[in-house]
């Protein structure tokens, strides 16, 4: 499943201690604070970790799209219960992440796969293997996800075991049709987090048995994650309550 290099050039920029990845345009495809290379610098990337509210001890994490490897590095270092598989089509992106963004070499828990994301998750061998799926697939122009149809999102659903949870980064004007496609594929078991300043919106999708969790329990789990990951997880719970409709407890 190995692929040739993509035509879009991989370029870098630096400003105020941050190093950014671009695909030959001004759009930021990832970033790293050089003094803290394993931290999640961008807010939407932190929100992608909200999957931990619902499944805090995954065994296998699959990520579609590597970018500057921020999520990959963070999960490899902080989510020690899990192996991490990151799928990236561009060999240039993989090499840049290793040379300029401190992506570690593969080991017993980390596997970087040079492959097409759709082909990878559509393969029968990938069905029901992932506890978390994190999807961040944008091209150089950032017009919308590279794959954005119901069939693709159904393949995403099939790669999750039950229970399992996925997070999707969406951006800009493509949000409504993308959200509708994800909701269709996941039988409307979807949640949205509030939009961040850069325009990103993270969607969570869940498979498995119905969930019914008191918000006090969800808040406690968020506190536990804050202690482990040093991320503002209680803000995710508050954001979910603002951006979605619930009764006295979380039900999905």
């Amino acid at each position: 499943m190995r692929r040739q290099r993509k035509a879009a050039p991989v370029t870098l920029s630096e400003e105020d201690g941050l190093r950014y990845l671009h695909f030959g345009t001004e759009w930021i495809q990832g970033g790293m604070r050089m003094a803290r290379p394993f931290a999640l610098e961008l807010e939407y990337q932190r929100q992608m970790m909200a999957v931990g509210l619902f499944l805090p001890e995954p065994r296998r994490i699959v990520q579609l799209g590597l970018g500057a490897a921020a999520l990959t590095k963070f999960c490899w270092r902080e989510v020690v219960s899990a192996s991490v598989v990151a799928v990236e089509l561009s060999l240039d992106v993989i090499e840049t992440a290793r040379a300029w963004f401190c992506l570690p070499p593969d080991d017993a828990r980390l596997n970087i796969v040079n492959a097409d994301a759709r082909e990878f998750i559509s393969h029968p061998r990938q069905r029901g293997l992932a506890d978390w799926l994190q999807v961040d697939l944008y091209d150089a122009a950032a017009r919308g996800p590279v794959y954005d149809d119901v069939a693709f999102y159904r393949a995403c659903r099939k790669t999750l075991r039950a229970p399992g949870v996925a997070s999707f980064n969406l951006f800009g004007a493509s949000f409504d049709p993308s959200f509708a496609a994800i909701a269709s594929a996941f039988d409307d078991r979807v949640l949205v987090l509030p939009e961040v300043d850069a325009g990103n919106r993270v969607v969570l999708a869940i498979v498995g048995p119905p969930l019914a969790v008191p918000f006090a329990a969800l808040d406690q789990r968020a506190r536990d994650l804050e202690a482990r990951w040093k991320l503002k997880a209680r803000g995710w719970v508050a954001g979910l309550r603002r951006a979605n409709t619930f009764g006295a407890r979380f039900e999905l």
Side-chain angles (χ1 to χ4, degrees):
M1 296 176 68
R2 189 164 294 276
R3 290 291 180 267
Q4 296 179 348
R5 297 168 185 260
K6 291 188 72 174
V10 175
T11 55
L12 305 176
S13 66
E14 294 183 5
E15 182 179 0
D16 297 330
L18 289 165
R19 179 174 292 149
Y20 295 110
L21 176 75
H22 310 265
F23 293 161
T25 71
E26 75 277 9
W27 294 105
I28 293 172
Q29 301 289 341
M32 176 186 76
R33 185 166 295 280
M34 288 178 278
R36 297 189 301 152
F38 285 84
L40 293 175
E41 189 63 32
L42 304 179
E43 179 59 27
Y44 89 86
Q45 294 170 338
R46 300 184 195 114
Q47 288 188 348
M48 295 282 280
M49 293 299 298
V51 289
L53 289 172
F54 307 104
L55 198 62
E57 299 289 343
R59 290 171 288 168
R60 178 179 169 91
I61 301 168
V62 174
Q63 300 170 338
L64 304 182
L66 179 67
L71 278 172
T72 305
K73 293 183 298 181
F74 186 87
C75 289
W76 175 75
R77 173 170 279 195
E78 301 293 342
V79 190
V80 295
S81 63
S83 61
V84 181
V85 178
V87 182
E88 172 56 51
L89 178 64
S90 170
L91 187 58
D92 284 342
V93 169
I94 295 172
E95 292 174 348
T96 300
R98 290 220 151 105
W100 294 97
F101 291 94
C102 301
L103 176 64
D106 285 6
D107 62 16
R109 290 184 48 244
L110 178 64
N111 183 22
I112 308 301
V113 180
N114 179 207
D116 176 83
R118 186 178 202 128
E119 290 184 10
F120 179 86
I121 63 163
S122 297
H123 197 285
R125 286 183 297 185
Q126 298 303 322
R127 290 180 182 172
L129 293 182
D131 301 294
W132 291 3
L133 177 67
Q134 297 172 310
V135 183
D136 189 4
L137 292 171
Y138 276 82
D139 62 12
R143 289 182 296 262
V146 173
Y147 297 122
D148 196 31
D149 55 272
V150 174
F152 170 72
Y153 293 122
R154 283 178 179 154
C156 290
R157 177 178 175 171
K158 288 178 181 178
T159 203
L160 289 165
R161 61 175 129 229
V165 58
S167 56
F168 300 89
N169 173 40
L170 302 180
F171 178 78
S174 68
F175 175 81
D176 286 342
S178 298
F179 180 78
I182 296 169
S184 177
F186 283 83
D187 295 333
D188 292 323
R189 299 189 69 196
V190 292
L191 301 164
V192 63
L193 282 155
E195 182 176 330
V196 301
D197 290 343
N200 303 77
R201 297 194 76 179
V202 169
V203 172
L204 304 178
I206 294 173
V207 300
L211 292 178
V213 184
F215 279 106
L218 209 57
D219 283 332
Q220 183 56 56
R221 181 166 289 176
R223 291 175 187 272
D224 294 341
L225 294 180
E226 287 183 345
R228 287 168 51 189
W229 296 344
K230 305 300 185 288
L231 300 177
K232 296 179 180 179
R234 280 175 289 177
W236 305 336
V237 178
L240 288 171
R241 297 187 75 168
R242 289 197 309 272
N244 304 271
T245 302
F246 298 110
R249 60 182 181 172
F250 173 87
E251 294 183 279
L252 191 65

